[in-house]
Amino acid sequence: MIIVMKPNAAEQSVNSVLNTVKENGLRTHRASGETVTIIGVVGDKTKLDTSTILSMNEVEKIVNVTESYKLVNKKFHPAPTVIKLPYTTIGPDSFTVMAGPCAIESREQIHAAAKAVRDAGATMLRGGAFKPRTSPYSFQGLEEEGLKYIQEAARENAMDTICEVTSEYALELAVKYVDMVQIGARNMQNFELLKEVGRSGIPVMLKRGLSSTIDEWLNAAEYIMSYGNPNVALCERGIRTFETATRNTLDLSAVCVLKEKTHLPVIVDPSHATGVRAYVEPLSKAALITGADGIIVEVHPNPPCALSDGPQSLYFEQFDKLMKDLAPIADLTGRTLH
Amino acid sequence: MIIVMKPNAAEQSVNSVLNTVKENGLRTHRASGETVTIIGVVGDKTKLDTSTILSMNEVEKIVNVTESYKLVNKKFHPAPTVIKLPYTTIGPDSFTVMAGPCAIESREQIHAAAKAVRDAGATMLRGGAFKPRTSPYSFQGLEEEGLKYIQEAARENAMDTICEVTSEYALELAVKYVDMVQIGARNMQNFELLKEVGRSGIPVMLKRGLSSTIDEWLNAAEYIMSYGNPNVALCERGIRTFETATRNTLDLSAVCVLKEKTHLPVIVDPSHATGVRAYVEPLSKAALITGADGIIVEVHPNPPCALSDGPQSLYFEQFDKLMKDLAPIADLTGRTLH
Amino acid sequence: MIIVMKPNAAEQSVNSVLNTVKENGLRTHRASGETVTIIGVVGDKTKLDTSTILSMNEVEKIVNVTESYKLVNKKFHPAPTVIKLPYTTIGPDSFTVMAGPCAIESREQIHAAAKAVRDAGATMLRGGAFKPRTSPYSFQGLEEEGLKYIQEAARENAMDTICEVTSEYALELAVKYVDMVQIGARNMQNFELLKEVGRSGIPVMLKRGLSSTIDEWLNAAEYIMSYGNPNVALCERGIRTFETATRNTLDLSAVCVLKEKTHLPVIVDPSHATGVRAYVEPLSKAALITGADGIIVEVHPNPPCALSDGPQSLYFEQFDKLMKDLAPIADLTGRTLH
Amino acid sequence: MIIVMKPNAAEQSVNSVLNTVKENGLRTHRASGETVTIIGVVGDKTKLDTSTILSMNEVEKIVNVTESYKLVNKKFHPAPTVIKLPYTTIGPDSFTVMAGPCAIESREQIHAAAKAVRDAGATMLRGGAFKPRTSPYSFQGLEEEGLKYIQEAARENAMDTICEVTSEYALELAVKYVDMVQIGARNMQNFELLKEVGRSGIPVMLKRGLSSTIDEWLNAAEYIMSYGNPNVALCERGIRTFETATRNTLDLSAVCVLKEKTHLPVIVDPSHATGVRAYVEPLSKAALITGADGIIVEVHPNPPCALSDGPQSLYFEQFDKLMKDLAPIADLTGRTLH
């Protein structure tokens, strides 16, 4: 951590900062330029509250040199995390395709979807039982009934399942039925939920908040890991920008950044990022070639009748073609597609 | 609602949409241009899922003509909402100043803050007992102990209290001790929490999400009202943009937009919006003159020692001066300052 | 400037950076923490290209401690700049209202506007003769003819004029007819135009680019000043964000930031920032109370017939009321309204 | 175009709009719902100024159904544009790699770069002679001298050249020496420059503005085409968002959107989008697989000594590896790499 003093800061202000840092058990290096004095801080920075320093007289700013997250940090844990589910392995040697409808609507629908995506080669079934919806008047999900349907559909087709959880109550139910839970963009900084998922130990995919920096996202993952759960994957799903031609802006360079900063697997969601069916195929390929460890895509037996997110759901034939198109690219990158 | 077909859409596609709309009990108006056909939809649109329509063949887009929120909508409820607390009235005739430390740190700290802000003229005490923090290693709040301290400090000074709740558990505790709860930016779309606050009936201030549109924000308020709670105020606290000179970008024009669209009171938080102590005074005045119904500002007995958000907290003398500066502007606008 | 090395950087990499800095005639301070080494750089940083340093082995990042702009910097020139025009003074003791139509459409239109805004108390007439339009098929302005009309209208009413220039050609014409030129948001980083305006010496108002940081904006102003023109005002006109309820998001906190960083006058444009007539009045008042030195607002004899930007133009009566509403606030702040 | 009236608009207001539209030679379709009346407008909308309508009484908003750009629109010109240069063809059957240093610094530097990128397989040499720099104190380019060097270097290596032009003066010089010009992000809406480039007829690559929507970008391209120049390519180079881990956010989904809306070739610039050398390779591959027609990347003989943009420039060996890595992906997509 570097503390930058205001230009021509009084000696008294500088000393005051130096003393405060030292009182917290840390060491300092002082360097004075013509107008500006900077103070390097050495030691365990979790002992020091940056707000305190920032509030002191003539302190201009603080520059963090080391990241605040530890457990998710590749610097300290260089080996890539591999998440093992009954039928699926998420990690550097595979490209995991999570597919299925946005919302579980009925037993028939999720069974049809499971069979179709399994036939096309995917081993992981997605489907929402608890739907966070902008308007209170929209369909909110089948809840436990939906969880039962998806578990059943997955078992019959030798697949794993992933479902979003939106509250501690939903989590309690979900752990009984699904193999992996998902924390959605709106809950990325619902810290109480992060802690609970951390305690549960269930494999979890943490979606990036709509306007979260990568740094905040990694700190959110740190919450889960620091409460005891090492099975965390991250999911880039588009960020909010001024552009309206797509629902959000898929930040594919985030995959590159994450691969440098963390050992956690990275999944890409081109369906929610764009909101447009036709863009799912090219951006799925792009995710694979960029180095992502998987994608999550929406597939529906009859997209025009989907109760949510219809416009971005693939038809079964489109999903089948997507898997066939991904295969040679997976070969090129040395990953197993499943 | 207007459905816009793609250019030169086939007659069959148009008819298919017309039929679907009618089957849902709504009426249609068709208008065909040289290349584009549009379909106006008349009736109760909550009966129709827009995703279904958007997924149909040759549908280009849907344009909403009426808002999806009803209870918070000024069109249907033109009279301004007034929230009455024991010592404070939030509404069009007053300018409510909520002041106090970001986090409750000790009995002494909150008592000192209560006395100082009350002496300066404010009747509402803020202070956090549950702190949502980006890093799991930062101070997370005194929880119930903090709630007891703030209640005590408020009673001694004839004030009302407001505290953030971050989970259903926090809400359960908070309702026992405080007069108003706050839902923070990170939880604006934590729909389960919104529903619980709706059921509780306790007065609530809903902060705008960091990257939430005004429309999403009003829909979030609609969740609370639709679960039975009419005592909702909105709080603009800055949105996330590319600019880094301030922590967030205070969107003061949102006050104007809200005053046009909703009957709910609007509070402005210049402390969190800017993160800079020196900007709190000018932007508090701006909030008042623009038509806001109040502000929430951070005040701390000793800002350099604050455990969170020190750099933006006002010293007691600064807060006293702020209240004196606001007085003539409140007079100009015909509002009672408290 | 502080150079931060990557964790555990090799001694050779550190030395290489130290040598490069010294070869450029600057001094260094080295501070090594447990894993990270930082190098403080002292001296005239314009001698050093930061890209060179950033490209060196194991350099993590560079932190600028001092700003790159000098002439516009309040640290070096604390006295506020005052721009004196024949009838108007722009500076800390006045609140300048620039008013008139978005585009000059005819002699009659600009004469009517001039008289109306002068009668209401404003001494500065705005009107565009060169219009930058998103589509090539929109009205592009009357050019020199328009400049003649506005000059004539201003002289008859004892007013000053301001017009946008969009090219060197437009600048050459404008200097013959107007008292102040404006560089629009789209040209804020048209550096060739900035240099020409710098050489011309004519008073200039530099609008903020749609997505420009305050730092980039001040550097753009530095271009003008470094080419010899000290008569520069800045104009906040809204930034581009995700919110669509207003055309742009007015960043009023930028006024606070600018007042801290620069001695140049600051004008606010609530018309372009919001695009909504009804929001111009409250936000004009907010600009004044926040500390801006003036506003620029659109006023049109017959807004529904305006050839551009009609929805945000005030009617004459609305402008008259605005001036009356601003008067007591100007009194409060000790500024002369004109 | 659809005109939406405010809820319960008076019959007189509706008629007034209907009449205005008809007076402009257009036809109308009226549809009235329970509270809202909408008016569909049929005919040549360039005859109607939308601002006029928006200013009329009780008009809520206007929804555009057809795009304002014509010449760049794929709907009217479905065949993809192919730009033919002496050694390079930009279009659907090839993947064009434009490579070279950010700035031309010396004859030796550009010759070395030309030879290296040609040896690696690229036929198009980039290099800046006019540099738009944020600070007036940064290196601004060699101007005409640089143009001579790049022409010479390209001829010796059987390559085409591309250079940025920042003003009409730069354009006049550039057309004498280079095969294609580039309009940078900062000048995307410098409409006077767009018109001049349109008149010149020289092949041009138009970069996306830092905060430009795709719609605005296509309208800017329309300016060039409407002034007579059909040889236009578009270049996605990252947009400005809140994320700071990369310099800008590469919007790869824009490639998908553009391929749907326009017949113009699309180039991607991963160097400027990310500002990080290590991300250029994965994102170049992603651009190819997503459907882009080429990339523009920075390559420098000695990146640590580059006078601008060093941190993102590739070393010669890295560029050579990039071309080798792109080859099998180009094969997969049926494109010739050059």
Side-chain angles (χ1 to χ4, degrees):
Chain A
M1 185 193 290
I2 302 166
I3 301 165
V4 182
M5 303 299 295
K6 283 194 196 294
N8 305 312
E11 194 56 27
Q12 192 187 346
S13 303
V14 176
N15 284 331
S16 175
V17 173
L18 288 169
N19 291 336
T20 303
V21 174
K22 286 172 195 161
E23 280 162 17
N24 281 278
L26 298 158
R27 277 169 299 125
T28 57
H29 278 267
R30 172 180 179 162
S32 295
E34 261 136 54
T35 54
V36 174
T37 292
I38 63 171
I39 298 167
V41 178
V42 184
D44 176 8
K45 261 76 75 180
T46 60
K47 295 181 185 165
L48 192 68
D49 199 292
T50 57
S51 307
T52 309
I53 301 296
L54 273 173
S55 295
M56 297 183 77
N57 276 340
E58 303 195 85
V59 170
E60 173 92 17
K61 62 177 169 182
I62 284 184
V63 179
N64 285 310
V65 173
T66 48
E67 293 91 354
S68 55
Y69 45 86
K70 308 292 173 200
L71 301 171
V72 306
N73 199 324
K74 197 174 171 180
K75 280 180 197 159
F76 309 122
H77 310 271
T81 286
V82 175
I83 300 176
K84 290 192 178 154
L85 305 174
Y87 303 97
T88 313
T89 300
I90 305 174
D93 298 329
S94 48
F95 190 73
T96 301
V97 180
M98 307 172 177
C102 181
I104 305 164
E105 297 165 13
S106 70
R107 172 178 277 136
E108 293 65 36
Q109 175 238 29
I110 192 71
H111 274 258
K115 188 170 181 323
V117 302
R118 188 66 178 90
D119 286 351
T123 60
M124 202 154 175
L125 183 63
R126 64 151 291 161
F130 304 91
K131 301 303 303 171
R133 302 298 298 268
T134 302
S135 163
Y137 309 119
S138 298
F139 174 64
Q140 312 263 327
L142 292 183
E143 307 209 344
E144 189 163 11
E145 192 188 348
L147 294 172
K148 286 178 183 168
Y149 294 159
I150 195 172
Q151 184 188 47
E152 199 182 79
R155 279 189 187 150
E156 278 188 23
N157 290 280
M159 299 181 83
D160 302 305
T161 52
I162 181 166
C163 275
E164 179 168 357
V165 291
T166 54
S167 65
E168 292 164 46
Y169 166 75
L171 175 65
E172 269 172 49
L173 285 174
V175 295
K176 296 191 216 160
Y177 298 100
V178 302
D179 301 295
M180 190 169 192
V181 296
Q182 171 189 311
I183 295 181
R186 292 182 181 85
N187 282 308
M188 192 202 86
Q189 291 195 319
N190 180 341
F191 298 119
E192 299 309 315
L193 185 57
L194 296 178
K195 291 175 190 172
E196 280 307 315
V197 169
R199 288 184 195 108
S200 79
I202 190 169
V204 57
M205 184 170 80
L206 177 67
K207 287 197 152 186
R208 182 182 189 175
L210 216 53
S211 66
S212 293
T213 62
I214 292 173
D215 200 69
E216 290 167 342
W217 190 11
L218 288 171
N219 270 294
E222 184 84 5
Y223 261 93
I224 301 175
M225 286 195 74
S226 70
Y227 278 78
N229 188 344
N231 295 306
V232 182
L234 300 166
C235 178
E236 160 64 32
R237 43 81 70 217
I239 56 174
R240 180 158 277 182
T241 69
F242 59 83
E243 179 59 69
T244 56
T246 43
R247 186 155 60 174
N248 300 290
T249 298
L250 181 66
D251 180 9
L252 212 56
S253 54
V255 176
C256 305
V257 177
L258 290 171
K259 285 293 163 189
E260 204 172 83
K261 291 189 180 290
T262 184
H263 51 86
L264 299 177
V266 180
I267 308 295
V268 168
D269 180 346
S271 305
H272 282 91
T274 64
V276 180
R277 190 180 293 137
Y279 304 162
V280 171
E281 184 203 299
L283 294 172
S284 293
K285 293 174 182 172
L288 169 48
I289 206 90
T290 305
D293 302 298
I295 49 173
I296 180 162
V297 295
E298 291 191 4
V299 182
H300 194 279
N302 187 5
C305 293
L307 291 183
S308 71
D309 285 336
Q312 73 209 29
S313 293
L314 299 183
Y315 287 83
F316 288 167
E317 314 80 71
Q318 289 176 313
F319 181 71
D320 192 59
K321 178 172 180 308
L322 172 63
M323 291 298 281
K324 287 192 173 62
D325 285 349
L326 288 173
I329 309 174
D331 281 352
L332 260 185
T333 59
R335 286 177 183 265
T336 307
L337 179 69
H338 64 67
Chain B
M1 185 193 294
I2 302 166
I3 301 166
V4 181
M5 303 298 294
K6 283 193 195 296
N8 306 310
E11 194 55 30
Q12 191 188 346
S13 303
V14 176
N15 284 331
S16 174
V17 173
L18 288 168
N19 290 337
T20 302
V21 174
K22 286 172 194 160
E23 280 162 17
N24 281 278
L26 298 158
R27 278 170 299 124
T28 58
H29 278 268
R30 174 180 178 162
S32 296
E34 260 137 56
T35 54
V36 174
T37 292
I38 62 171
I39 298 167
V41 178
V42 184
D44 177 8
K45 261 77 73 179
T46 60
K47 294 180 187 168
L48 191 68
D49 198 293
T50 57
S51 307
T52 309
I53 302 296
L54 273 173
S55 295
M56 298 184 76
N57 277 340
E58 302 194 84
V59 170
E60 173 93 15
K61 61 178 170 184
I62 284 183
V63 180
N64 287 310
V65 172
T66 47
E67 292 92 355
S68 56
Y69 45 85
K70 309 289 173 203
L71 301 171
V72 306
N73 200 325
K74 197 173 171 180
K75 281 182 197 156
F76 309 122
H77 310 272
T81 285
V82 175
I83 300 175
K84 290 195 177 150
L85 306 174
Y87 303 96
T88 313
T89 301
I90 306 174
D93 298 329
S94 50
F95 190 71
T96 302
V97 180
M98 307 173 177
C102 181
I104 304 164
E105 296 165 15
S106 68
R107 170 178 279 136
E108 293 65 37
Q109 175 238 30
I110 192 71
H111 275 258
K115 186 171 183 320
V117 302
R118 188 66 177 91
D119 285 352
T123 60
M124 200 152 177
L125 183 64
R126 61 152 293 160
F130 305 90
K131 301 303 302 173
R133 303 296 298 268
T134 302
S135 162
Y137 309 118
S138 298
F139 174 64
Q140 312 263 328
L142 292 183
E143 308 207 346
E144 189 162 9
E145 193 189 347
L147 294 172
K148 286 178 182 167
Y149 294 158
I150 195 171
Q151 185 187 47
E152 200 182 80
R155 278 188 188 152
E156 280 188 21
N157 290 282
M159 300 181 81
D160 302 304
T161 53
I162 180 166
C163 275
E164 178 168 358
V165 291
T166 54
S167 65
E168 292 164 46
Y169 165 75
L171 174 64
E172 270 172 50
L173 285 174
V175 295
K176 296 191 217 161
Y177 299 99
V178 303
D179 301 295
M180 189 169 194
V181 296
Q182 170 189 313
I183 295 181
R186 292 182 181 85
N187 283 308
M188 192 202 87
Q189 292 196 319
N190 180 342
F191 297 119
E192 299 309 316
L193 185 58
L194 297 177
K195 292 175 190 172
E196 280 307 315
V197 170
R199 288 183 196 109
S200 78
I202 189 169
V204 55
M205 183 170 81
L206 177 67
K207 287 197 151 186
R208 180 182 191 177
L210 214 54
S211 66
S212 293
T213 62
I214 292 172
D215 200 70
E216 290 167 343
W217 190 12
L218 289 170
N219 270 294
E222 184 84 6
Y223 261 93
I224 301 174
M225 287 196 73
S226 70
Y227 278 78
N229 188 344
N231 295 306
V232 182
L234 301 166
C235 177
E236 160 63 32
R237 43 80 71 217
I239 56 173
R240 180 158 277 181
T241 70
F242 59 83
E243 179 59 68
T244 56
T246 43
R247 186 155 60 175
N248 300 290
T249 298
L250 180 66
D251 180 10
L252 213 55
S253 54
V255 176
C256 306
V257 177
L258 290 171
K259 286 292 163 192
E260 205 172 83
K261 292 188 179 290
T262 184
H263 51 86
L264 300 177
V266 180
I267 308 295
V268 169
D269 180 347
S271 304
H272 282 91
T274 64
V276 181
R277 189 180 295 136
Y279 305 162
V280 171
E281 184 203 299
L283 294 172
S284 292
K285 294 174 182 172
L288 168 48
I289 206 92
T290 306
D293 303 298
I295 49 172
I296 180 162
V297 296
E298 292 191 5
V299 181
H300 194 279
N302 188 5
C305 293
L307 291 183
S308 71
D309 286 334
Q312 72 209 30
S313 293
L314 298 183
Y315 287 82
F316 287 166
E317 314 81 70
Q318 289 176 314
F319 181 70
D320 193 59
K321 179 174 181 308
L322 172 63
M323 291 299 281
K324 289 193 171 61
D325 286 349
L326 288 173
I329 309 174
D331 282 351
L332 261 185
T333 60
R335 286 178 183 264
T336 308
L337 178 69
H338 64 68
Chain C
M1 183 194 293
I2 302 165
I3 302 165
V4 181
M5 303 299 295
K6 284 194 195 296
N8 306 310
E11 194 56 27
Q12 191 187 346
S13 303
V14 176
N15 285 331
S16 174
V17 173
L18 288 169
N19 290 336
T20 301
V21 174
K22 286 172 194 162
E23 280 162 16
N24 282 277
L26 299 158
R27 276 170 300 123
T28 57
H29 278 266
R30 173 179 178 161
S32 296
E34 262 137 54
T35 54
V36 173
T37 292
I38 62 169
I39 298 167
V41 178
V42 184
D44 176 8
K45 261 76 74 180
T46 60
K47 293 179 185 167
L48 192 68
D49 198 293
T50 57
S51 307
T52 309
I53 302 297
L54 273 172
S55 296
M56 297 182 77
N57 278 339
E58 303 195 85
V59 170
E60 174 93 14
K61 63 177 168 182
I62 284 183
V63 180
N64 286 310
V65 172
T66 48
E67 293 92 354
S68 56
Y69 45 85
K70 309 291 172 200
L71 302 170
V72 306
N73 199 324
K74 197 174 171 179
K75 280 180 197 158
F76 309 121
H77 310 271
T81 285
V82 176
I83 300 176
K84 289 191 179 156
L85 304 175
Y87 303 96
T88 313
T89 300
I90 306 173
D93 298 329
S94 49
F95 191 71
T96 301
V97 180
M98 308 173 179
C102 181
I104 305 164
E105 296 166 13
S106 68
R107 170 178 277 135
E108 293 64 36
Q109 176 237 29
I110 192 71
H111 274 258
K115 187 171 182 322
V117 301
R118 188 68 178 90
D119 285 352
T123 60
M124 201 153 174
L125 183 63
R126 62 151 293 160
F130 305 91
K131 301 304 302 172
R133 302 297 297 269
T134 301
S135 162
Y137 309 120
S138 298
F139 174 63
Q140 312 264 328
L142 291 183
E143 308 208 343
E144 188 163 11
E145 194 189 345
L147 294 173
K148 287 177 182 167
Y149 295 159
I150 195 172
Q151 185 187 45
E152 200 182 79
R155 278 189 188 150
E156 279 187 23
N157 290 282
M159 299 180 83
D160 302 304
T161 53
I162 181 167
C163 275
E164 178 169 357
V165 290
T166 55
S167 65
E168 293 165 45
Y169 165 75
L171 174 64
E172 270 172 50
L173 285 174
V175 294
K176 296 191 215 161
Y177 298 100
V178 303
D179 301 295
M180 189 170 192
V181 296
Q182 169 189 314
I183 294 180
R186 292 182 181 86
N187 282 307
M188 192 201 86
Q189 290 195 320
N190 179 341
F191 298 119
E192 299 309 315
L193 185 58
L194 297 178
K195 291 175 191 173
E196 280 307 315
V197 169
R199 288 184 196 109
S200 77
I202 190 169
V204 55
M205 184 171 80
L206 178 67
K207 288 196 150 186
R208 182 182 189 177
L210 215 54
S211 66
S212 292
T213 61
I214 291 173
D215 199 70
E216 290 167 340
W217 189 13
L218 288 170
N219 270 293
E222 183 84 6
Y223 261 93
I224 301 174
M225 287 196 73
S226 70
Y227 278 78
N229 188 344
N231 296 305
V232 182
L234 300 166
C235 177
E236 161 62 32
R237 41 83 69 215
I239 56 174
R240 180 159 278 182
T241 70
F242 60 82
E243 179 58 70
T244 56
T246 44
R247 185 155 62 173
N248 300 290
T249 299
L250 181 65
D251 180 10
L252 212 56
S253 55
V255 175
C256 306
V257 177
L258 290 171
K259 286 292 164 192
E260 205 172 82
K261 291 188 180 290
T262 184
H263 51 86
L264 300 177
V266 180
I267 308 295
V268 169
D269 179 347
S271 305
H272 282 91
T274 63
V276 180
R277 190 179 294 136
Y279 305 162
V280 171
E281 184 202 300
L283 294 173
S284 293
K285 293 175 182 172
L288 169 49
I289 207 89
T290 306
D293 303 298
I295 49 172
I296 179 162
V297 296
E298 291 190 6
V299 182
H300 194 280
N302 188 5
C305 294
L307 291 183
S308 70
D309 286 334
Q312 72 209 30
S313 293
L314 299 182
Y315 287 83
F316 287 167
E317 315 80 71
Q318 289 176 313
F319 181 71
D320 192 58
K321 178 174 181 309
L322 172 63
M323 291 298 281
K324 287 193 172 59
D325 285 349
L326 288 172
I329 309 173
D331 281 352
L332 260 185
T333 60
R335 287 178 183 263
T336 308
L337 179 69
H338 65 68
Chain D
M1 185 193 293
I2 302 166
I3 302 165
V4 181
M5 302 300 294
K6 283 193 196 294
N8 305 311
E11 194 57 27
Q12 189 187 348
S13 303
V14 176
N15 284 331
S16 174
V17 173
L18 288 169
N19 290 336
T20 303
V21 174
K22 286 173 194 161
E23 280 161 18
N24 281 277
L26 298 158
R27 278 169 299 124
T28 57
H29 279 267
R30 173 180 178 160
S32 296
E34 260 137 55
T35 54
V36 173
T37 292
I38 63 171
I39 298 168
V41 178
V42 184
D44 176 9
K45 262 76 75 181
T46 60
K47 293 180 185 166
L48 192 68
D49 198 293
T50 57
S51 306
T52 310
I53 301 297
L54 273 172
S55 295
M56 298 182 76
N57 277 341
E58 301 194 88
V59 170
E60 173 93 14
K61 62 177 167 182
I62 285 184
V63 179
N64 285 310
V65 173
T66 47
E67 293 92 355
S68 56
Y69 46 85
K70 307 292 172 200
L71 300 171
V72 306
N73 199 324
K74 197 172 170 180
K75 280 181 197 157
F76 308 122
H77 310 272
T81 285
V82 175
I83 300 177
K84 290 193 177 151
L85 305 175
Y87 303 96
T88 313
T89 300
I90 306 173
D93 298 330
S94 49
F95 190 71
T96 301
V97 180
M98 307 172 178
C102 181
I104 304 165
E105 297 166 14
S106 69
R107 170 178 278 137
E108 293 64 38
Q109 176 238 27
I110 192 71
H111 275 258
K115 186 169 182 324
V117 301
R118 188 67 177 89
D119 285 351
T123 61
M124 202 154 173
L125 183 63
R126 64 151 290 160
F130 305 91
K131 302 304 303 171
R133 302 297 297 269
T134 302
S135 162
Y137 309 119
S138 298
F139 174 63
Q140 311 263 328
L142 293 183
E143 308 210 343
E144 188 163 10
E145 195 189 346
L147 294 173
K148 286 178 183 169
Y149 294 159
I150 196 172
Q151 185 187 46
E152 200 182 79
R155 278 188 187 151
E156 279 187 23
N157 290 282
M159 300 181 81
D160 302 305
T161 52
I162 180 166
C163 275
E164 178 169 357
V165 291
T166 53
S167 65
E168 292 165 46
Y169 166 74
L171 175 64
E172 269 172 50
L173 285 174
V175 294
K176 295 191 216 163
Y177 298 100
V178 303
D179 301 295
M180 189 168 193
V181 296
Q182 170 189 314
I183 295 180
R186 292 183 180 84
N187 282 307
M188 193 202 85
Q189 290 195 319
N190 180 341
F191 298 119
E192 299 309 315
L193 185 58
L194 297 178
K195 291 175 190 172
E196 281 307 314
V197 169
R199 287 183 196 110
S200 78
I202 189 168
V204 56
M205 183 169 83
L206 177 67
K207 288 196 151 186
R208 182 182 189 176
L210 216 53
S211 67
S212 293
T213 62
I214 292 173
D215 200 68
E216 291 167 341
W217 190 11
L218 288 170
N219 270 294
E222 184 85 5
Y223 261 92
I224 302 175
M225 286 196 74
S226 71
Y227 278 79
N229 188 344
N231 295 305
V232 181
L234 301 166
C235 177
E236 159 63 31
R237 44 79 71 215
I239 56 174
R240 182 158 277 182
T241 70
F242 59 83
E243 178 59 69
T244 56
T246 44
R247 186 155 59 175
N248 300 290
T249 299
L250 181 65
D251 180 9
L252 212 56
S253 54
V255 176
C256 305
V257 177
L258 289 171
K259 286 292 162 190
E260 204 171 84
K261 290 189 180 289
T262 183
H263 50 87
L264 299 177
V266 180
I267 308 296
V268 168
D269 180 346
S271 304
H272 282 91
T274 64
V276 180
R277 190 180 294 138
Y279 305 161
V280 171
E281 186 202 298
L283 294 173
S284 293
K285 293 174 182 173
L288 169 49
I289 207 89
T290 305
D293 302 298
I295 50 173
I296 181 162
V297 296
E298 290 191 6
V299 182
H300 194 279
N302 188 6
C305 293
L307 291 182
S308 70
D309 284 336
Q312 72 209 30
S313 293
L314 299 183
Y315 287 82
F316 287 166
E317 314 81 69
Q318 289 175 314
F319 181 70
D320 192 59
K321 179 174 179 308
L322 172 63
M323 290 298 281
K324 288 193 172 63
D325 285 349
L326 289 172
I329 309 173
D331 281 353
L332 260 185
T333 58
R335 286 178 184 264
T336 307
L337 178 69
H338 63 68

